[in-house]
Amino acid sequence: MLCNVVEELKKKEEIDEMRRKYRMTCWTGILLGAALFAAGCGKTPAGDTDPVENQSVAASASEPNEAGHEEDASAAEAGFPSQMPSFTAKDLEGNTVTEDIFGEKDLTVVNIWGTFCSPCVAEMPELGEWAQSMPDNVQIIGLIVDISGDEDTKHHDLAVEITEKAGAEFTHVIANADLDPVMRWVVGVPTTLFVDKEGNLVGEPIVGAYVDGYKTFVEEYLNGL
């Protein structure tokens, strides 16, 4: 599955290849429409299906042929948003969070995850530990895909349990419709984005649980400031 493959990638060229495939998969996902996202990206209630089967929620659509590869990749790149949208959402503690959160640091790591996703849960302790040792100008926030509003106490409570057990004490935002301009492109969790203090998406998404990859990007980004 996608998440397992990404976890095993150790070389830079392999990461680059996975990012290429991610962009292609995103484009395919848009062609299939919102139904694909709903089926694949965190709408499955935790406990209703085997978590192992949900390690990756990437679309299973076939890739374009080689002749159309570059064109499709370019189209996906052109459509992927360059900036996080304005939003008003709640975190797990009920606090209001807006896009202003990005202005608090030079770089924000946005880890998009779901309570049903085994790799998401497995990497959470490492993310919590990393959050404690980040430079002062960097922060991490979680973005949870499978809490369906204020009435969904089942998944809310599960998310709280997961984060508390993992010691992942950073802010976890509950994704809502305000975030759709970005979320409709997310075809698998965990997906990790990087956002500068102006709210711009920088670098490329990393699909799959790959904390070393997140850390490498942050280090390289800070070195370039």
Side-chain angles (χ1 to χ4, degrees):
M1 292 184 181
L2 178 61
C3 291
N4 290 335
V5 170
V6 175
E7 289 179 315
E8 295 171 0
L9 297 179
K10 300 299 182 183
K11 299 179 181 179
K12 184 178 185 299
E13 58 267 26
E14 291 174 319
I15 293 296
D16 291 338
E17 177 67 10
M18 181 56 68
R19 289 171 175 169
R20 177 189 67 79
K21 290 181 178 180
Y22 172 77
R23 293 194 297 268
M24 293 171 62
T25 304
C26 283
W27 180 241
T28 303
I30 292 302
L31 294 178
L32 292 177
L36 176 59
F37 173 76
C41 201
K43 299 303 181 183
T44 304
D48 289 353
T49 57
D50 185 351
V52 174
E53 293 179 357
N54 283 286
Q55 287 184 22
S56 167
V57 290
S60 60
S62 58
E63 294 184 2
N65 58 36
E66 289 301 319
H69 164 67
E70 293 299 333
E71 181 180 353
D72 287 349
S74 297
E77 289 171 344
F80 196 92
S82 61
Q83 189 172 41
M84 293 294 289
S86 298
F87 68 91
T88 300
K90 297 288 187 179
D91 66 14
L92 285 178
E93 297 179 352
N95 302 309
T96 298
V97 182
T98 73
E99 70 277 5
D100 291 342
I101 193 171
F102 301 121
E104 298 175 5
K105 303 291 181 178
D106 288 331
L107 184 67
T108 300
V109 179
V110 181
N111 180 251
I112 304 172
W113 67 282
T115 62
F116 60 86
C117 169
S118 297
C120 300
V121 175
E123 73 171 351
M124 201 61 67
E126 192 172 359
L127 293 178
E129 182 178 350
W130 184 32
Q132 298 299 318
S133 61
M134 279 181 165
D136 291 339
N137 61 339
V138 181
Q139 65 183 340
I140 180 171
I141 66 173
L143 189 57
I144 311 169
V145 300
D146 63 327
I147 299 178
S148 302
D150 294 339
E151 302 303 316
D152 188 3
T153 57
K154 174 182 177 181
H155 295 101
H156 176 277
D157 292 349
L158 181 56
V160 170
E161 179 183 349
I162 289 169
T163 55
E164 288 183 348
K165 183 177 181 180
E169 298 176 354
F170 49 90
T171 298
H172 294 270
V173 178
I174 299 169
N176 62 18
D178 289 353
L179 290 152
D180 281 353
V182 167
M183 294 303 298
R184 68 188 182 91
W185 286 88
V186 177
V187 294
V189 292
T191 289
T192 300
L193 311 176
F194 306 94
V195 184
D196 70 13
K197 66 189 307 179
E198 304 299 328
N200 300 309
L201 289 162
V202 294
E204 294 188 36
I206 295 179
V207 184
Y210 191 66
V211 180
D212 286 345
Y214 316 157
K215 291 180 176 179
T216 296
F217 177 84
V218 169
E219 181 179 355
E220 292 176 351
Y221 181 85
L222 295 180
N223 287 339
L225 290 179

